[in-house]
């Protein structure tokens, strides 16, 4: 790709179709599918490895369009009309994508549900969404098919052929009312990590505008192959993989498991060029590569580390990427050689990991956003990234400001722009709380902006800890320091009352040790935490404490017998059962 950001215009691909295939400022999602099908009729769109004997299956844009149109006609014949809700829950798959696009094609509202939730939790969401149809994966089909409810149940799996999504054909014609850009396209139920689930209403305009505006800082086109590894019901993967591919005419490889062997096969056979993940995923990949390099011996590893420093310096100073060739064999062994760009989102990333992948020759950047902002509102440009930043916001396309900054410039991040949600479904009071009187959306995150509009995150406002000395401590910043510590699988920092009389608050770390630590110590996990494990954890804490300011240091360590609950984007839920602690 010869383009640079200076002459890059992502919306140029829309210009030939304005006034014919779409008439608004932005196309709707079905209009976007039609445009990409006209532009790239034979290009691969949906790929997975669920064919015979685990073989590769691919649908091109024309084939996806045909399946979407067929299912939309069937939905209309079944009485689905503009504004009705259609729910879908299942592992990432082409079938999931067809349901999504068919529902929004007739002006219905798609309601993707987290497939990892217990059925009781899903049922609560279904009661709120009140869909007329539910498309469900193989594992939960029987549960829903046996229940009587207000919605009909269909399958994403061909193991139930009579109700399989691809086999549903209309037996009569019915009118289809196409959506307009400001119609609600999706309701995304977000559990977050600390709050009651809410249904975020996102319009066609929200989703499509964000897909193109995010490209302001990132050059992508139909030659790219995106990897849908994280759950696609989540706003991050839905936008950055599914909708981006839809808009530019690129291929999606649907990953169904984070098991290392499956992921390695997907990466190798899929020819992935765009890999999006969360910090935990990239931490694991980096840790695996580093362990492999260390196994070559201290001298070889030392030489490689020196070369990595040189590679990173050249890239940072001159914009040249020598690491791809310098470490070609290493990247090929990790099945990452075809990866052109890797993006981390969904939480703060260690600067060590950010630097590691860039030094290895992969253009690695961070992004930032929330479900309520469709979600991308900041992204590091590959050509001018800042390792300490989650990216620059898209000035000229949206607005960002810091509300009530303190003496360090840190305050709540607020935004305005076409990607900001319509509101929470049937929750007008909760919606109103999220906006200032003059219309700025309040993210609930704390951060600051530098002179080039790059955003630096500090943490969640509700998680901030204030010490006895009046210092603000952001737990996420401290947790980031442990991301490459192999002895620790999970760590969460919280405040505790160290002196009841003074009500002074200090920092406690909840730590779940890694399997690797137990293996290294030749100890099996059990009901009790062995002293050797406690000591090893404390050694890591003490090492990191030395790099922290005195008011940031951890003064209490609680080693856990069981891991903390996590969301499907691999973030620890900040609600803890104190009984689980040793």
């Amino acid at each position: 790709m010869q383009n640079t950001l200076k002459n890059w215009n992502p919306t140029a691909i829309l210009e030939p179709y304005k006034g014919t295939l779409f008439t608004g400022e932005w196309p709707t999602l079905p209009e976007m599918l039609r445009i990409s099908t006209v532009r790239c009729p034979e290009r691969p769109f949906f790929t997975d490895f669920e064919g015979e004997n685990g073989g590769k299956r691919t649908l091109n844009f024309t084939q996806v369009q045909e399946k979407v149109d067929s299912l939309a006609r069937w939905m209309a014949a079944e009485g689905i009309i503009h504004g009705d809700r259609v729910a879908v829950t299942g592992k990432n798959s082409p079938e999931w994508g067809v349901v999504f696009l068919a529902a929004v094609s007739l002006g219905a509202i798609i309601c993707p549900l987290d497939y990892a939730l217990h059925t009781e939790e899903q049922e609560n969401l279904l009661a709120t969404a009140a869909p007329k149809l539910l498309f469900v994966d193989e594992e939960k089909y029987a549960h829903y098919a046996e229940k009587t409810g207000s919605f009909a149940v269909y399958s994403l799996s061909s193991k139930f052929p009579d109700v399989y999504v691809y086999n549903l054909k209309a037996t009569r014609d019915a009118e289809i009312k196409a959506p307009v850009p400001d119609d609600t396209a999706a309701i995304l139920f977000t559990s977050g990590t600390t709050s009651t689930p809410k249904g975020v209403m996102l319009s066609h305009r929200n989703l499509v505008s964000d897909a193109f505006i995010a490209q302001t800082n990132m050059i992508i086109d139909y030659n790219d192959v995106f990897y849908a590894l994280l759950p696609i019901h989540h706003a991050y993967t839905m936008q950055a993989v599914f909708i981006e591919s839809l808009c530019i005419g690129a291929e999606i490889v649907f990953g169904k498991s984070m098991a290392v062997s499956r992921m390695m096969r997907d990466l190798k056979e899929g020819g992935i060029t765009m890999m999006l993940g969360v910090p935990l995923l990239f931490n694991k990949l980096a840790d695996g590569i580093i362990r492999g390099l260390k196994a070559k011996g201290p001298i070889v590893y030392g030489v490689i580390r020196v070369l990595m420093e040189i590679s990173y310096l050249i890239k940072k100073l001159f914009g040249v990427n020598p690491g791809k060739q310098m470490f070609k064999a290493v990247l090929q062994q990790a099945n990452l050689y075809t990866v052109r760009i890797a993006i981390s989102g969904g939480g703060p990333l260690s600067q060590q990991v950010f630097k590691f992948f860039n030094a290895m020759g992969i253009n690695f950047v961070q992004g930032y956003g929330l479900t309520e902002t469709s979600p991308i509102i900041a992204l590091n440009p590959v050509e001018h990234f800042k390792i300490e930043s989650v990216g620059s916001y898209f000035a000229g396309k949206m607005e960002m400001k810091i509300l009530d900054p303190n003496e360090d410039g840190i305050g709540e991040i607020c935004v305005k722009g076409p990607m900001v949600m319509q509101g929470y479904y049937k929750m007008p009071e909760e919606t109103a709380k999220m906006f200032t009187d003059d219309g700025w959306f309040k993210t609930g995150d704390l951060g600051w902006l530098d002179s080039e509009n790059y955003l630096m995150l500090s943490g969640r406002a509700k998680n901030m800890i204030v010490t006895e000395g009046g210092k603000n401590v952001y737990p996420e910043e401290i947790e980031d320091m442990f991301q490459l510590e192999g002895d620790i699988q999970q760590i969460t920092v919280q405040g505790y009352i160290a002196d009841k009389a003074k009500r002074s608050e200090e920092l406690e770390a909840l730590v779940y040790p890694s399997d690797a630590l137990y293996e290294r110590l030749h100890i099996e996990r059990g009901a009790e935490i062995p002293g050797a494990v406690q000591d090893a954890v404390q050694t890591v804490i003490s090492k990191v404490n030395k790099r922290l300011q005195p008011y940031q240091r951890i003064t209490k360590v609680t080693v856990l017998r069981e891991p903390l609950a996590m969301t499907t984007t691999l973030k620890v839920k900040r609600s803890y059962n104190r009984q689980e602690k040793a």
Side-chain angles (χ1 to χ4, degrees):
M1 297 181 186
Q2 301 302 315
N3 271 316
T4 65
L5 288 177
K6 292 178 181 178
N7 58 18
W8 173 236
N9 178 17
T11 59
I13 63 173
L14 298 177
E15 294 304 320
Y17 309 101
K18 191 158 190 176
T20 54
L21 294 185
F22 77 103
T23 56
E25 179 187 4
W26 298 100
T28 62
L29 290 164
E31 288 171 337
M32 202 62 252
L33 174 60
R34 192 74 60 188
I35 291 168
S36 291
T37 301
V38 171
R39 288 182 60 238
C40 318
E42 303 302 320
R43 299 236 14 124
F45 188 15
F46 290 171
T47 293
D48 69 3
F49 292 95
E50 297 298 316
E52 189 174 348
N53 298 319
K56 187 176 182 179
R57 300 189 306 176
T58 296
L59 296 172
N60 63 30
F61 272 86
T62 299
Q63 292 167 324
V64 171
Q65 181 78 73
E66 290 170 351
K67 288 185 180 297
V68 167
D69 289 345
S70 176
L71 184 60
R73 287 193 297 269
W74 174 85
M75 287 182 178
E78 291 296 304
I80 303 302
I81 61 173
H82 197 274
D84 284 344
R85 271 81 60 211
V86 174
V88 59
T89 182
K91 293 185 175 71
N92 296 352
S93 69
E95 290 87 347
W96 190 104
V98 168
V99 170
F100 183 105
L101 292 171
V104 299
S105 291
L106 22 102
I109 301 169
I110 192 71
C111 301
L113 306 182
D114 184 348
Y115 76 88
L117 292 176
H118 297 300
T119 51
E120 296 83 359
E121 296 172 295
Q122 288 187 339
E123 287 167 10
N124 287 336
L125 300 181
L126 289 166
T128 300
K132 288 188 175 179
L133 302 175
L134 170 65
F135 291 84
V136 66
D137 61 13
E138 176 187 344
E139 297 167 344
K140 294 180 180 175
Y141 173 76
H143 171 84
Y144 285 109
E146 292 169 2
K147 295 180 73 70
T148 56
S150 58
F151 50 84
V153 182
Y154 297 90
S155 175
L156 297 174
S157 169
S158 60
K159 293 186 178 180
F160 303 96
D162 292 344
V163 289
Y164 176 46
V165 57
Y166 289 170
N167 294 342
L168 302 173
K169 306 298 179 183
T171 56
R172 68 181 183 89
D173 291 332
E175 182 183 358
I176 291 178
K177 180 184 177 184
V180 297
D182 285 327
D183 284 340
T184 303
I187 298 174
L188 305 187
F189 288 96
T190 171
S191 61
T193 52
T194 56
S195 58
T196 304
K198 300 181 180 74
V200 177
M201 297 187 295
L202 298 175
S203 68
H204 291 260
R205 177 175 178 261
N206 289 151
L207 293 166
V208 174
S209 69
D210 196 50
F212 281 99
I213 289 171
Q215 292 179 53
T216 304
N217 289 1
M218 179 84 48
I219 299 174
I220 52 178
D221 70 13
Y222 60 70
N223 292 300
D224 279 308
V225 180
F226 287 74
Y227 191 22
L229 176 62
L230 298 175
I232 203 167
H233 73 270
H234 190 273
Y236 174 36
T237 311
M238 183 185 297
Q239 175 61 272
V241 176
F242 184 72
I243 295 175
E244 285 288 1
S245 297
L246 167 70
C247 289
I248 64 173
E251 182 180 2
I252 305 168
V253 172
F254 292 92
K256 295 199 175 188
S257 170
M258 287 196 189
V260 173
S261 59
R262 180 66 183 261
M263 186 170 64
M264 289 298 103
R265 199 271 302 268
D266 290 350
L267 285 167
K268 183 177 181 179
E269 297 184 23
I272 307 299
T273 68
M274 296 290 297
M275 185 171 181
L276 293 91
V278 291
L280 182 59
L281 171 65
F282 290 117
N283 292 345
K284 286 185 174 181
L285 286 171
D287 184 59
I289 294 171
I290 290 169
R291 280 191 283 109
L293 295 175
K294 286 182 175 178
K296 297 178 183 297
I299 295 175
V300 173
Y301 178 66
V303 171
I304 290 174
R305 294 300 301 190
V306 171
L307 292 174
M308 287 176 64
E309 289 294 330
I310 295 170
S311 170
Y312 179 79
L313 190 61
I314 292 171
K315 183 174 184 182
K316 188 66 179 170
L317 293 179
F318 304 107
V320 179
N321 187 359
K324 198 82 173 208
Q325 292 306 313
M326 291 170 67
F327 305 109
K328 180 177 180 178
V330 176
L331 293 173
Q332 286 178 327
Q333 187 172 2
N335 293 323
L336 294 174
Y337 184 70
T338 61
V339 175
R340 190 173 68 85
I341 297 175
I343 304 174
S344 179
L349 180 78
S350 163
Q351 292 187 20
Q352 294 170 282
V353 177
F354 193 126
K355 184 176 179 180
F356 173 81
F357 282 106
N358 273 296
M360 291 297 295
I362 292 175
N363 292 317
F364 192 95
V365 296
Q366 293 190 82
Y368 167 72
L370 300 89
T371 302
E372 290 89 341
T373 58
S374 301
I376 306 169
I377 50 176
L379 189 64
N380 258 296
V382 169
E383 296 178 352
H384 183 39
F385 66 86
K386 294 189 180 183
I387 196 169
E388 68 277 16
S389 172
V390 292
S392 62
Y393 74 87
F394 312 111
K397 309 285 196 311
M398 59 167 288
E399 298 175 84
M400 181 180 288
K401 72 173 183 178
I402 304 300
L403 186 66
D404 300 326
N406 64 15
E407 64 275 9
D408 297 318
I410 297 172
E412 185 172 7
I413 302 159
C414 296
V415 298
K416 278 185 180 180
M419 67 286 291
V420 175
M421 69 170 181
Q422 296 176 308
Y424 294 121
Y425 185 57
K426 294 183 177 179
M427 299 177 74
E429 292 182 0
E430 289 294 327
T431 300
K433 291 177 185 176
M434 300 301 294
F435 291 87
T436 63
D437 292 340
D438 55 350
W440 288 84
F441 173 74
K442 299 185 291 183
T443 66
D445 286 324
L446 298 172
W448 57 279
L449 291 165
D450 73 6
S451 59
E452 294 183 289
N453 292 328
Y454 280 72
L455 177 63
M456 319 294 170
L457 286 186
S458 298
R460 291 291 292 173
K462 63 181 69 176
N463 297 337
M464 187 177 72
I465 300 164
V466 181
T467 68
E468 182 183 18
K471 294 286 189 179
N472 294 340
V473 177
Y474 307 102
E476 295 89 345
E477 291 184 342
I478 298 170
E479 292 158 4
D480 292 348
M481 305 287 285
F482 292 87
Q483 288 193 20
L484 283 182
E485 295 295 341
D487 287 349
I488 291 179
Q489 184 166 319
Q490 290 178 329
I491 182 166
T492 295
V493 174
Q494 63 183 17
Y496 77 100
I497 303 301
D499 187 325
K500 292 183 179 179
K502 294 182 179 179
R503 298 293 299 169
S504 62
E505 195 169 19
E506 295 184 14
L507 303 186
E508 174 187 16
L510 309 181
V511 176
Y512 182 65
S514 68
D515 293 338
L517 173 59
Y518 278 87
E519 290 172 8
R520 180 166 60 80
L521 297 175
H522 305 292
I523 297 173
E524 291 188 7
R525 286 195 191 271
E528 301 300 322
I529 307 294
V533 172
Q534 300 259 15
D535 291 344
V537 168
Q538 185 59 60
T539 297
V540 175
I541 298 291
S542 299
K543 180 177 76 171
V544 173
N545 267 346
K546 292 177 182 177
R547 292 153 49 196
L548 297 169
Q549 296 296 319
Y551 66 87
Q552 295 177 306
R553 288 173 186 162
I554 294 163
T555 58
K556 180 180 179 182
V557 179
T558 302
V559 182
L560 307 178
R561 292 191 296 267
E562 300 291 336
L564 293 163
M566 302 182 80
T567 68
T568 49
T569 52
L570 308 180
K571 290 188 290 189
V572 169
K573 294 181 178 180
R574 290 186 183 272
S575 55
Y576 314 116
N577 179 358
R578 303 291 300 185
Q579 309 256 326
E580 292 181 351
K581 301 185 180 72

